[in-house]
Every structure is written in structure tokens, then in C-alpha cells.
Amino acid sequence: MKNILVTGGSGFIGANFIHYVLGETDFSGRIINVDVLTYAGNPENLQSIEKDFPERYIFENADICDLEKLRLIAEKYDVDTICHFAAESHVDRSIVSPGAFIQTNVIGTFNLLEIARERQDGLKLFHHVSTDEVFGSLGDEGFFTETTSYKPNSPYSASKASSDHLVRAYYKTYGIPVTISNCSNNYGPFQFPEKLIPLMVLNAQARKPLPVYGDGSNVRDWLYVRDHCVAIWAIMNRGRHGETYNVGGDNEMKNLEVVREICRCLDEILPADGGAPREELITFVKDRPGHDWRYAIDFSKINQELGWRPAESFTTGIRKTIEWYLENDQWVSRVKSGEYQQWMKEQYGEQ
Ligand code: NAD
Ligand code: DAU
């Protein structure tokens, strides 16, 4: 791999991935980040990368729905590898406005696969970053494996399922070298504060209400974002073409437990003078329509084939995450201005 086109590199996981690959691995080539900078894309996430790797990091402001522009970029930088993160990623937004999810997640992925097909001769790999949500919802028992059948329940997960099927089809039909990863809920630095963990950290810090959907008993498996990046890089380097790999955090928790842990941790770091414990801020709100009950990942395939397992426990990962948000208050205040305010107002009637 010499010239990796990373899509969605200015978002949460993509930015962490670029930091990891350029900053911590022996990769010596270039990364070309194609991102249209939606509300979730933030060039600030890669400011230090621009400074430290001026020759090896390139930013191209482009929409993956624009096939002609993608073609020009791929030619210009002689792209030999594609790692595809770009997506509309927030389930609640997909319930309110599904159209953008179909455009970016389905049509955008199709366009990138067409680029891969056109460049098939020199192409080393198309890696597709997907989600465990394509498998639908589990009951109290069991785990998602790579052979679990697809049963997506939200417009977001249905659009990601469609994109997974297209990637598989391009492998089977055209022999494009592909790998797919389906992972559980990520958390860590640079996550946009519409997602559960950063939303709760920032609200709890500011002593605002902590909106928990339903009774808070839905279960997610929390994966620290750096562990996810390590898994993707292992798959890209050593994974078998045409295979999918499940990536999980080995950290199943009910949402209410997650929020309580954040409150406990923040009370410890930032004790209030005689203030009430932050748990008292928990407010149960209307449930998400079609809310998946439980996600849990069996990651034995990637463990056995590539020796990967998550390094971070929730206790260590959440501490690092909270400290990152507290230390990066300027990042937070810039992200929370503008579009974010509008979204929060529509969701919770806040100003
Ligand atoms: P994010 O919403 O933080 O970032 C998405 C990035 O894609 C942004 O930088 C945005 O500007 C860019 N983008 C969106 N539409 C685009 C378009 N049309 N053209 C070019 N760029 C566009 O998302 P994330 O949480 O970093 O997720 C990255 C990928 O990982 C997604 O494919 C998502 O489905 C998948 N995933 C995320 C999680 C999670 O917990 N966050 C878990 C499993 C899988
Ligand atoms: O499982 C992987 C998926 O994880 C990714 O594919 C998605 O891109 C990512 O957004 C995430 O989806 P979720 O819907 O699980 O994440 P979210 O952070 O939105 O919600 C996590 C859980 O917390 C979920 O059960 C809903 C609940 N929740 C969420 C918010 C934002 C609340 O109770 N209150 C909230 O305010």
C-alpha cells in the first residue's frame, strides 16, 4: 500500500485512524483524506497531522456521491488502496431524515466501488468499515458472528447493510480485493457530541439533564476507538480478501450503567462544592422508535486469525475519554456552536 484513499477521515473514527496509521505504524506512504465536511466532519481533528506530515497527508474536500471528482482524485494521487469510513452515522438522524443516508451510504459506496473496479489492475485493497447494527437486535443471550443473518432495523443500519452487500457483490462478481469489518459502538477522542458517551460527558460536566431513552436497559458493547483502528489496520494488512471480520470491545453494558459510570468518574475528577451527585441529572425520555435491544459481538475470528483483541477496558477507556473532553474545551466549544445547537434544540428544546 502506497497511496491510501481514506474517506470520511475528518470524522470521529477516520481521524483517529489517520492519527494511528501516520503516527504509530511503520506505513511510509501517503494518506489522501476525501471528506465533504458535513456537520460531523471537522478539519481541526487533523490539525497536528497536517503540520507533522505535510508530504504524506493530503486533504481533498469532495463528496463521495460525486463520481467524476472521485475519479480525478484517484488518478491524481495514483490511489492503490481505499479505506472507506465516510457515512451518515447517527441513527436518530436517520429516523428524522433518511434521504442523506441512502445517498452517502449506498450511492457513495457504489461510486467508490466503481473507482475500485476502474483501477482494479493496481488495486491492493478496498476496506469497508461497517457496523454490527446490520445484524439487527439480540435478545438477552447470544452474540453476532460473521455468519449471523442481516436484519437491519433503522434507515441507518439498512443503508449500511446495502453497502455491505454491494462490497461483497464487487468481490464475487469482479474479483475486487475487499475486506469488511463490522464493529460495535466506538467511543474516545473526537466523537461528535450527539452520540451517547460524549453527550453525557458534556451534559454531566455542565450539570445539564442526561436524557436516557426508555428505561436505559438497552445494551451496547463499547469499543475504544484506538482498538478499532488497530483492528482495521490488521485486517488491511493481513486479512483474507472477501472476508468479513467482527470487531467488539468485550464491554457489554446497559446504557444506564454507562451513564452512571460517567457520572461517578466526573464526580471524582470534578467534585462539586457540596453539589449533588451527577446521577441525579439522569432524566428518562421517550424511547427511540425501533430501538434495538442488545448488540454483542463474538470477535473470535479476528482474534484467532489476526491475533487482535481489545486492549482497553471500559474503566480505563472512559477515564481517558472524559479527560480528553475536559482537556479539549476549545474543540468542544467550537463543535458545539452552529449546527449542533440547532440539532439539540430540535431534540430537546434547548437553546
Ligand atoms: P462520523 O459521523 O463521525 O464521521 C463521518 C465522516 O464522513 C465525516 O467527516 C463527514 O464529513 C464524512 N462524510 C459524510 N458524508 C460524506 C460524503 N457524502 N462525502 C464525503 N464525506 C462524507 O462517523 P464515525 O462515527 O466516524 O463513523 C465512521 C464509519 O464507521 C461509518 O461508516 C460508520 O457507519 C461506521 N461505524 C461507526 C461506529 C461508531 O460507533 N461511531 C460503529 C460502527 C461502525
Ligand atoms: O453499534 C454500532 C453503531 O453505534 C454505529 O454503527 C453507529 O454509527 C453509532 O452511532 C452507534 O449507534 P447507536 O445508536 O448504538 O449509538 P448512540 O450513541 O446514538 O446510542 C447508544 C445507545 O444510547 C442507544 O441504545 C441509544 C441510547 N441513547 C442515545 C442518545 C444519543 C440514549 O439513551 N440517550 C441519548 O441521548
Side-chain angles (χ1 to χ4, degrees):
M1 295 183 281
K2 284 205 178 98
N3 295 312
I4 308 179
L5 189 156
V6 169
T7 69
S10 306
F12 162 49
I13 307 175
N16 277 283
F17 179 76
I18 294 174
H19 277 276
Y20 172 68
V21 174
L22 291 180
E24 295 191 54
T25 74
D26 59 5
F27 175 68
S28 58
R30 298 188 297 182
I31 286 185
I32 301 99
N33 171 20
V34 168
D35 198 305
V36 77
L37 301 179
T38 66
Y39 77 94
N42 184 354
E44 208 179 328
N45 298 350
L46 292 162
Q47 235 167 30
S48 65
I49 291 286
E50 278 179 7
K51 191 162 74 57
D52 295 344
F53 301 94
E55 309 289 320
R56 295 178 51 213
Y57 170 73
I58 295 145
F59 175 70
E60 284 283 349
N61 187 340
D63 189 334
I64 60 167
C65 297
D66 184 343
L67 180 59
E68 191 46 41
K69 203 159 176 187
L70 287 180
R71 195 171 275 137
L72 293 173
I73 292 169
E75 274 166 22
K76 182 171 170 194
Y77 299 107
D78 195 19
V79 165
D80 59 19
T81 305
I82 297 173
C83 181
H84 178 32
F85 292 93
E88 287 292 338
S89 70
H90 194 43
V91 174
D92 292 328
R93 287 180 189 259
S94 83
I95 295 168
V96 180
S97 335
F101 287 72
I102 304 305
Q103 283 306 318
T104 289
N105 301 1
V106 184
I107 306 297
T109 303
F110 163 70
N111 285 343
L112 287 159
L113 286 164
E114 281 292 279
I115 297 297
R117 187 156 78 96
E118 289 169 12
R119 306 183 63 77
Q120 185 163 5
D121 280 350
L123 193 83
K124 302 269 188 287
L125 185 71
F126 183 105
H127 180 73
H128 179 57
V129 180
S130 191
T131 169
D132 60 357
E133 298 201 10
V134 298
F135 301 121
S137 179
L138 290 164
D140 288 337
E141 303 290 323
F143 296 87
F144 297 134
T145 72
E146 288 78 4
T147 55
T148 303
S149 55
Y150 275 38
K151 243 185 193 178
N153 290 320
S154 70
Y156 163 70
S157 52
S159 68
K160 291 297 288 187
S162 313
S163 64
D164 290 11
H165 291 322
L166 282 169
V167 176
R168 179 189 155 85
Y170 271 61
Y171 170 72
K172 288 281 179 188
T173 307
Y174 305 113
I176 306 291
V178 308
T179 45
I180 300 178
S181 48
N182 295 89
C183 78
S184 58
N185 290 60
N186 284 221
Y187 69 106
F190 302 123
Q191 188 166 32
F192 192 80
E194 64 189 350
K195 305 289 198 305
L196 180 74
I197 288 186
L199 175 71
M200 294 298 161
V201 170
L202 298 180
N203 277 15
Q205 182 195 1
R207 296 195 172 270
K208 287 183 171 177
L210 307 177
V212 170
Y213 297 166
D215 63 2
S217 56
N218 300 65
V219 174
R220 297 292 183 265
D221 171 13
W222 293 97
L223 171 65
Y224 191 66
V225 65
R226 185 181 178 281
D227 281 333
H228 182 201
C229 297
V230 174
I232 293 173
W233 192 238
I235 296 168
M236 287 176 69
N237 282 280
R238 294 181 285 121
R240 286 183 292 140
H241 293 170
E243 293 291 317
T244 69
Y245 293 88
N246 280 2
V247 184
D250 207 11
N251 271 315
E252 264 190 72
M253 291 171 81
K254 289 183 192 301
N255 292 338
L256 197 51
E257 286 177 69
V258 170
V259 179
R260 286 192 172 135
E261 181 65 27
I262 291 170
C263 290
R264 269 196 297 272
C265 208
L266 264 170
D267 284 346
E268 210 181 290
I269 302 173
L270 289 178
D273 306 332
R278 287 178 169 85
E279 268 194 43
E280 290 181 8
L281 299 166
I282 291 173
T283 311
F284 293 97
V285 299
K286 196 164 161 282
D287 210 352
R288 173 186 280 173
H291 195 174
D292 284 337
W293 168 248
R294 173 172 166 259
Y295 304 143
I297 289 260
D298 174 348
F299 61 85
S300 48
K301 179 174 172 180
I302 186 171
N303 179 246
Q304 281 159 19
E305 285 189 21
L306 307 179
W308 177 91
R309 60 167 302 111
E312 214 71 59
S313 71
F314 192 73
T315 314
T316 57
I318 197 66
R319 183 96 193 183
K320 284 185 186 173
T321 305
I322 291 175
E323 283 168 357
W324 186 88
Y325 279 92
L326 297 181
E327 281 159 16
N328 288 276
D329 51 340
Q330 290 200 350
W331 181 95
V332 170
S333 58
R334 278 196 284 272
V335 165
K336 284 178 76 169
S337 61
E339 212 267 354
Y340 177 82
Q341 281 177 347
Q342 186 58 31
W343 170 250
M344 295 306 282
K345 199 169 153 192
E346 283 162 18
Q347 290 289 294
Y348 306 114
E350 272 189 39
Q351 293 299 323

